Amino acid sequence: MVDQRFFDELSDRIAAILPRAGEFGEDIRTKLNQALQKSFSEMNVVTREQFQAQEKALKRAEARIAQLELRIAALETGEPAGGSDLET
């Protein structure tokens, strides 16, 4: 999910554009904040940190797959496997 601070900043910026008429301005900001939170939660948005963590895990998995493919190719051709890196 997206950080609460993000919603607060976004709704503050949008509310600043709208004319502030006393109590109505705060009401608009609150309703806008709620609408934004609902919309983003329905989109299954993730934080940048979550995205970067998944990206890092994917890169590690891709590197491991490349190692295993090389090892399989070596085993298929009858070449020595070159050590046991399967345990890492």
Side-chain angles (χ1 to χ4, degrees), residues 54-69:
Q54 289 300 312
E55 186 176 39
K56 188 176 180 181
L58 177 60
K59 287 180 182 180
R60 282 193 313 266
E62 289 173 336
R64 185 66 179 139
I65 289 169
Q67 289 175 349
L68 292 172
E69 286 174 340

Side-chain angles (χ1 to χ4, degrees), residues 5 7 13-14 28 41 44 51 59-60 72 74-75 88:
R5 184 183 55 197
F7 292 115
R13 287 181 184 179
I14 294 172
I28 289 171
S41 68
N44 292 324
F51 178 81
K59 287 180 182 180
R60 282 193 313 266
I72 289 170
L75 291 171
T88 56

Side-chain angles (χ1 to χ4, degrees), residues 5 14 19 31 39-40 47 55 59 70 74:
R5 184 183 55 197
I14 294 172
K31 290 186 187 286
S39 296
F40 277 104
T47 64
E55 186 176 39
K59 287 180 182 180
L70 289 174

